[in-house]
Amino acid sequence: MKARLELEGMEFYARHGCLESERLAGNLFTVDVRASIPADAAAASDDLADAVDYGRIYTTVAREMAVPSKLLEQLAARILGALEKDIPELEDLEVRVSKRRPPVDGVCAWSRITVRR
């Protein structure tokens, strides 16, 4: 049996962006992770040892969010690669990174990029 794991709305204050002002001031970012995971063992045992630990996912995302990137594409791809390496049980992995109020000539609440493999 497979299950769809989703961690949504992980919030980070970080210094990503192409503009120097973005890197100096920082901004609010959210990260969403979706993946398929094997669920037979965890469903049968009700034991964390048989499940994917959500805390490991958060720790991996937080580590990558602390490394500045100019582009959301690079940041999202780096998070995806780190999750694949750190937690190989994740399949059909998807990572979405959102940046609050991107620097555009008008009102824009969020810019987002989603990468998947």
Side-chain angles (χ1 to χ4, degrees):
M1 170 176 54
K2 296 280 185 187
R4 190 72 174 156
L5 177 149
E6 299 183 22
L7 288 181
E8 293 193 359
M10 291 179 274
E11 291 187 0
F12 303 91
Y13 191 82
R15 300 180 187 280
H16 306 294
C18 288
L19 303 177
E20 184 177 352
S21 59
E22 294 178 282
R23 292 188 302 273
L24 289 174
N27 200 347
L28 176 67
F29 292 80
T30 64
V31 178
D32 305 316
V33 172
R34 293 177 182 85
S36 293
I37 57 170
D40 287 326
S45 71
D46 198 25
D47 189 334
L48 181 58
D50 292 326
V52 173
D53 183 347
Y54 302 166
R56 288 179 57 210
I57 294 171
Y58 185 91
T59 298
T60 298
V61 172
R63 182 185 71 225
E64 296 302 320
M65 286 298 295
V67 178
S69 291
K70 291 181 183 175
L71 300 176
L72 292 181
E73 291 87 344
Q74 198 271 346
L75 175 59
R78 198 176 69 241
I79 292 169
L80 186 137
L83 286 168
E84 288 177 324
K85 181 181 175 208
D86 293 353
I87 310 166
E89 303 91 338
L90 301 177
E91 300 175 358
D92 303 319
L93 185 57
E94 180 178 294
V95 173
R96 180 171 79 168
V97 177
S98 305
K99 177 182 194 174
R100 190 172 92 196
R101 291 190 217 129
V104 297
D105 292 331
V107 176
C108 181
W110 294 93
S111 59
R112 292 189 168 107
I113 190 79
T114 301
V115 295
R116 64 181 60 93
R117 197 173 353 249

